[in-house]
Amino acid sequence: MGIQQKTVLNLQPINQCVRVTFNYDVHFTRGLFQLDNPLLAQAIAADGETAPKQVLAVVDAGFLKYQDGLLKKLSVYAQYYQDVLTLTGEPIVVPGGEAVKNDARFIEQIHQQINAAGLCRHSYILAIGGGAVLDMAGYAATTAHRGIRLLRVPTTVLGQNDSGVGVKNGINAFGKKNFLGTFMPPYAVLNDFDFLTSLDDRDWRSGIAEAVKVALIKDADFFDFIMTNAEKLANRDMDIMEKLIYRCSQLHLEHIAGSGDPFEMGSSRPLDFGHWAAHKLEHLSNYSLRHGESVAIGIALDTTYSYLTGQLLKSEWQRVLSTLKKLGFTLYVSALTEQLDQLDHPHCLFRGLTEFREHLGGNLTITLLQRIGQGIEVHQVDLSLYRDAILMLKDW
Amino acid sequence: MGIQQKTVLNLQPINQCVRVTFNYDVHFTRGLFQLDNPLLAQAIAADGETAPKQVLAVVDAGFLKYQDGLLKKLSVYAQYYQDVLTLTGEPIVVPGGEAVKNDARFIEQIHQQINAAGLCRHSYILAIGGGAVLDMAGYAATTAHRGIRLLRVPTTVLGQNDSGVGVKNGINAFGKKNFLGTFMPPYAVLNDFDFLTSLDDRDWRSGIAEAVKVALIKDADFFDFIMTNAEKLANRDMDIMEKLIYRCSQLHLEHIAGSGDPFEMGSSRPLDFGHWAAHKLEHLSNYSLRHGESVAIGIALDTTYSYLTGQLLKSEWQRVLSTLKKLGFTLYVSALTEQLDQLDHPHCLFRGLTEFREHLGGNLTITLLQRIGQGIEVHQVDLSLYRDAILMLKDW
């Protein structure tokens, strides 16, 4: 009967095609909240609408520890540029690091303040902090009124060269990283290099891992730059770090714009080279490993595996591992081997492959290295070779 | 110092442009879950990936009341098309109507089941029900893993010709309609006209209001069609209703695709003609008014106001109001006048203007009528004329 009626119905499906264009600028500056730096005010005034705009700040407590004058500075800045912006209420101070992504109450708190202040879609959430705080604040901003404008001010290397410039927002749930979130570009990104001086050594180093990653899959020259300058980077040379952040952001942004799949509707995710293990290790370490520290291990693992499968030259494999070492990264942690033979055990590293596939959907797709600067996607892996790779990291 | 250093810094901002294209089909059928109707299985198999795909159903309890064999039918259908799809666990049955959008626990429940079943981004949420259930299930689907595929099966006129075919998902919070949500197109929409036979008269009629709305602002011929057939529609003529739904969906879809602003980043929202008052009235009536019933009043109000401002001919104003009447809509409720002179009172209808502006952002922008088939945007309103308009509705 169904078919018969459908024939009688004779209504063609309507093929809908919705195209959405998002434009945003990623700025590089120093002294973002100095009164003589108009960048933030300009970013807000750029829409040409009647000022002043409401701005709700969300600030990383971990960052504030090292910048205790920041809230005062922000308030003086807002006063000075009052024709353009109004700080609405007190800034919301939230814990830094993954803790802020593990507790949905922070999202609720931001939503409550958005409601209480009567923010509209053309108001701003000004998120200041590390990658985790930006991810969380971004998820809150992009869901209130179906999307309030998000200004990201990343204060870590990782935020400035990777997560802060991209199109993802999210929090963790059910013990799974980024289980909840949105794809939605920010309104603008304001990278202030001055903020990096207050980072501790672990956070300084951590973000370099994402630069190594994007260099390995996309840009051999950039990898050479990192290799050549590895010691300077480890010794906190700011000039080299600025160049690294600029080039790394550029490569990430080019990939997002040019991949043809910015919202990851397919199964390919080359920018997540090294990340299947990294995400799992972060969780297994109870987030005592920083994201970048885990990524460095993930890169070392997938690079070693690429060598063992015969795709990557031995000399290139060695260059990658020695560069990571020179940068100061640890390439082996015991969580790598803990329940390695019990594939069903939630602590088994290889569960990270399943979880990675599950998050993205479709067939398993991970990126390996063909050579430095050139990734290649594979859909199957050989776990015994991966076991060998882990042992090689242990002995490195 | 800031400026000085910025000059030294000499790094140009990176201008990012992200273009995203969403394609989805809106299908029209009968007997969607009949075994000889392959439409649903085809929609799932269309991605060409290895089957079977996991499907989690979310079903409107209000709809189930009239279709008590539905869950069984769905399970038999899944069994028959097991090469293509697997129903993962029991369908989640949720209350119909706005109740389901007023309680965030339903979102949590769906997220929990998505996690428990290990759904991936290429799995499906199959949402079956009225507009409210689709809005809620869509919000849950588009935030899990940053977006699981959403198949919408609207079971009401309103869902089939308006909310179910668009790009919005959301729930209510803080007493504000759609305070939380996402812009994200569905994966496909499956409109089954058979479902409409079980609607009660209020729900049958309610959805016609959105057709009147889109006709008034975009298509005079379509308004003529509705006017000519108003009595048949009120008497539940299915053939006329099918034509109405098809044309109304088409107009909505064309607007979304062609407006240049499908995710409403600007301040213009012509499809929300009549909606500033409608949203407020729904809330003031504690959702005892259906959305479409409120929209009919909102249309009557803004049409009358358009006439009073001298923009719309008296004859056209009368045609609109008499058509709404013939369709069976009530055009006056006491909530229109309750606290009309206390602009700060939360029950004052005119607060709806503020809330409407706040939700969308920027300057107030509402659509009025220049003539039937042609809307016009205004940014200011005359409240005393609006008071007159309300009195005219009372006396109509």
Side-chain angles (χ1 to χ4, degrees):
Chain A
M1 173 190 133
I3 296 289
Q4 186 59 31
Q5 287 193 327
K6 279 208 306 162
T7 312
V8 175
L9 194 56
N10 202 21
L11 290 175
Q12 288 303 308
I14 304 175
N15 311 116
Q16 175 74 339
C17 177
V18 177
R19 294 176 209 278
V20 192
T21 303
F22 303 92
N23 289 292
Y24 63 98
D25 289 344
V26 177
H27 299 274
F28 300 87
T29 190
R30 287 211 184 91
L32 181 63
F33 301 120
Q34 309 269 18
L35 296 186
D36 57 359
N37 187 341
L39 184 62
L40 172 61
Q42 283 165 350
I44 290 172
D47 66 5
E49 293 176 8
T50 323
K53 290 304 191 72
Q54 283 194 287
V55 176
L56 174 61
V58 179
V59 187
D60 187 326
F63 177 61
L64 268 191
K65 252 195 312 199
Y66 301 100
Q67 303 263 349
D68 60 357
L70 185 88
L71 296 186
K72 176 74 187 160
K73 253 179 146 169
L74 182 58
S75 137
V76 170
Y77 187 92
Q79 194 63 34
Y80 188 77
Y81 290 99
Q82 59 180 293
D83 292 347
V84 175
L85 68 115
T86 307
L87 279 185
T88 179
E90 290 296 303
I92 303 177
V93 178
V94 296
E98 285 292 314
V100 82
K101 294 178 68 172
N102 285 327
D103 188 340
R105 277 176 305 178
F106 298 111
I107 297 285
E108 280 166 38
Q109 188 189 353
I110 296 175
H111 284 159
Q112 268 162 15
Q113 294 225 182
I114 288 170
N115 173 59
L119 296 194
C120 73
R121 275 191 204 155
H122 295 202
S123 307
Y124 295 83
I125 299 296
L126 176 67
I128 305 171
V133 168
L134 301 185
D135 282 359
M136 184 281 294
Y139 183 45
T142 57
T143 48
H145 292 306
R146 298 198 184 99
I148 285 181
R149 294 174 178 178
L150 173 68
L151 293 169
R152 292 202 195 115
V153 179
T155 59
T156 61
V157 176
L158 186 73
Q160 293 194 358
N161 71 6
D162 181 298
S163 63
V165 303
V167 298
K168 300 186 197 179
N169 309 286
I171 60 171
N172 310 327
F174 310 111
K176 289 177 184 167
K177 199 166 157 80
N178 298 320
F179 183 83
L180 298 178
T182 53
F183 287 102
M184 193 51 61
Y187 191 79
V189 182
L190 308 163
N191 278 334
D192 181 342
F193 291 137
D194 281 352
F195 291 154
L196 306 180
T197 57
S198 67
L199 291 177
D200 69 24
D201 284 348
R202 284 183 70 187
D203 282 326
W204 170 279
R205 181 182 299 114
S206 182
I208 301 172
E210 298 286 1
V212 174
K213 172 205 75 181
V214 77
L216 285 175
I217 56 176
K218 295 205 171 264
D219 186 346
D221 288 346
F222 186 41
F223 182 78
D224 279 347
F225 170 84
I226 298 172
M227 187 176 68
T228 310
N229 291 289
E231 275 166 37
K232 283 188 183 165
L233 282 166
N235 292 322
R236 304 191 63 142
D237 182 311
M238 185 57 98
D239 182 53
I240 300 292
M241 181 58 102
E242 288 178 6
K243 291 190 170 73
L244 175 129
I245 287 174
Y246 193 85
R247 181 64 187 145
C248 184
S249 318
Q250 207 169 34
L251 285 166
H252 274 112
L253 289 162
E254 279 170 10
H255 176 81
I256 293 166
S259 67
D261 187 22
F263 284 7
E264 297 180 2
M265 290 181 269
S267 294
S268 168
R269 195 161 65 168
L271 281 184
D272 275 352
F273 172 58
H275 276 55
W276 72 266
H279 286 159
K280 191 68 189 169
L281 287 172
E282 270 183 279
H283 185 62
L284 290 179
S285 76
N286 256 319
Y287 298 96
S288 66
L289 280 176
R290 300 274 203 285
H291 179 66
E293 292 168 343
S294 306
V295 168
I297 299 171
I299 290 172
L301 180 60
D302 283 356
T303 303
T304 306
Y305 179 82
S306 301
Y307 159 57
L308 289 181
T309 59
Q311 292 178 90
L312 187 71
L313 289 176
K314 184 172 187 179
S315 59
E316 297 208 316
W317 164 62
Q318 289 173 324
R319 285 166 67 201
V320 175
L321 264 64
S322 68
T323 299
L324 288 170
K325 268 287 183 198
K326 263 192 206 157
L327 288 165
F329 287 110
T330 300
L331 304 186
Y332 176 83
V333 290
S334 61
L336 281 166
T337 43
E338 248 166 47
Q339 304 287 344
L340 209 52
D341 293 321
Q342 289 183 264
L343 294 184
D344 286 341
H345 196 286
H347 290 180
C348 173
L349 179 74
F350 294 138
R351 296 269 305 174
L353 286 164
T354 314
E355 290 164 11
F356 188 74
R357 188 202 63 72
E358 186 182 295
H359 184 63
L360 196 59
N363 299 327
L364 176 71
T365 306
I366 67 168
T367 299
L368 298 176
L369 293 186
Q370 263 187 316
R371 57 174 184 274
I372 287 176
Q374 178 72 53
I376 179 173
E377 294 193 337
V378 302
H379 303 285
Q380 292 187 51
V381 296
D382 177 338
L383 294 189
S384 70
L385 275 191
Y386 257 120
R387 285 195 186 88
D388 295 344
I390 291 169
L391 292 178
M392 288 167 79
L393 289 186
K394 193 171 181 180
D395 296 339
W396 180 268
Chain B
M1 171 189 132
I3 295 289
Q4 186 58 31
Q5 287 193 327
K6 281 209 305 164
T7 313
V8 175
L9 194 56
N10 202 20
L11 291 175
Q12 287 304 307
I14 303 175
N15 311 116
Q16 175 75 340
C17 177
V18 177
R19 293 176 210 277
V20 192
T21 303
F22 303 92
N23 289 293
Y24 63 99
D25 289 343
V26 177
H27 299 274
F28 300 87
T29 190
R30 287 212 184 90
L32 180 64
F33 301 121
Q34 309 270 18
L35 296 187
D36 56 0
N37 187 341
L39 184 62
L40 172 61
Q42 283 166 351
I44 290 172
D47 66 5
E49 293 176 6
T50 322
K53 290 304 190 71
Q54 284 194 290
V55 176
L56 173 62
V58 178
V59 186
D60 187 326
F63 176 62
L64 268 191
K65 251 195 312 198
Y66 300 101
Q67 303 263 350
D68 60 357
L70 185 88
L71 296 186
K72 176 72 188 165
K73 253 179 146 170
L74 181 58
S75 137
V76 170
Y77 187 93
Q79 194 63 34
Y80 188 78
Y81 290 100
Q82 60 181 293
D83 292 347
V84 176
L85 68 115
T86 307
L87 279 186
T88 180
E90 290 297 304
I92 303 177
V93 178
V94 296
E98 286 292 315
V100 82
K101 293 178 69 173
N102 285 326
D103 187 340
R105 276 177 305 177
F106 298 112
I107 298 285
E108 280 166 38
Q109 188 190 353
I110 296 175
H111 284 158
Q112 269 161 17
Q113 293 224 185
I114 288 170
N115 174 59
L119 295 195
C120 74
R121 275 191 204 155
H122 295 203
S123 307
Y124 295 83
I125 299 296
L126 176 67
I128 305 172
V133 169
L134 301 185
D135 282 0
M136 184 281 293
Y139 183 45
T142 56
T143 48
H145 293 306
R146 298 198 184 99
I148 286 182
R149 295 173 179 178
L150 173 67
L151 293 169
R152 292 204 195 114
V153 179
T155 59
T156 60
V157 176
L158 185 75
Q160 294 193 358
N161 72 5
D162 181 298
S163 65
V165 304
V167 298
K168 300 186 197 179
N169 309 286
I171 59 171
N172 309 327
F174 309 112
K176 289 178 183 164
K177 199 165 158 79
N178 298 320
F179 184 84
L180 298 177
T182 53
F183 286 103
M184 193 50 62
Y187 191 77
V189 182
L190 309 163
N191 278 336
D192 182 342
F193 291 137
D194 281 352
F195 291 155
L196 306 180
T197 57
S198 67
L199 291 177
D200 69 24
D201 284 348
R202 284 184 69 187
D203 282 328
W204 170 279
R205 179 181 301 112
S206 181
I208 301 171
E210 298 286 2
V212 174
K213 173 205 75 182
V214 76
L216 285 175
I217 57 176
K218 294 204 171 265
D219 185 346
D221 288 345
F222 186 41
F223 182 78
D224 279 345
F225 170 84
I226 298 172
M227 187 176 68
T228 309
N229 291 288
E231 276 166 37
K232 283 187 183 166
L233 282 166
N235 292 321
R236 305 190 64 142
D237 182 311
M238 185 57 99
D239 182 53
I240 300 292
M241 181 57 103
E242 289 178 6
K243 291 190 171 72
L244 175 129
I245 287 175
Y246 194 85
R247 181 63 186 146
C248 183
S249 318
Q250 208 169 32
L251 285 167
H252 274 111
L253 289 161
E254 280 170 11
H255 176 81
I256 293 166
S259 67
D261 186 20
F263 285 7
E264 296 180 3
M265 291 181 270
S267 295
S268 168
R269 195 161 64 165
L271 282 184
D272 276 353
F273 171 59
H275 276 56
W276 72 265
H279 286 158
K280 190 67 189 171
L281 287 172
E282 272 185 276
H283 186 61
L284 290 179
S285 76
N286 256 320
Y287 298 97
S288 66
L289 280 176
R290 301 275 203 285
H291 179 66
E293 292 168 342
S294 307
V295 168
I297 299 172
I299 289 172
L301 179 60
D302 283 356
T303 303
T304 306
Y305 179 82
S306 301
Y307 158 57
L308 289 181
T309 59
Q311 293 178 89
L312 186 70
L313 289 176
K314 184 172 186 180
S315 59
E316 297 208 317
W317 164 61
Q318 289 173 325
R319 285 166 68 199
V320 175
L321 263 63
S322 68
T323 300
L324 289 170
K325 268 287 182 197
K326 263 192 207 158
L327 288 165
F329 287 111
T330 300
L331 303 186
Y332 176 81
V333 290
S334 61
L336 282 166
T337 43
E338 248 166 47
Q339 304 286 344
L340 209 52
D341 293 321
Q342 291 183 263
L343 293 183
D344 286 341
H345 196 287
H347 290 180
C348 174
L349 179 74
F350 294 139
R351 296 269 306 172
L353 286 165
T354 314
E355 291 165 10
F356 188 75
R357 189 203 62 72
E358 187 182 293
H359 183 63
L360 196 59
N363 299 328
L364 176 70
T365 305
I366 67 167
T367 299
L368 298 176
L369 293 186
Q370 264 187 315
R371 57 174 185 273
I372 287 176
Q374 178 73 54
I376 180 173
E377 295 193 335
V378 301
H379 303 284
Q380 292 187 52
V381 296
D382 177 339
L383 295 188
S384 69
L385 275 190
Y386 257 120
R387 285 194 186 88
D388 294 345
I390 291 170
L391 292 178
M392 289 168 78
L393 289 186
K394 195 172 179 181
D395 296 339
W396 180 268

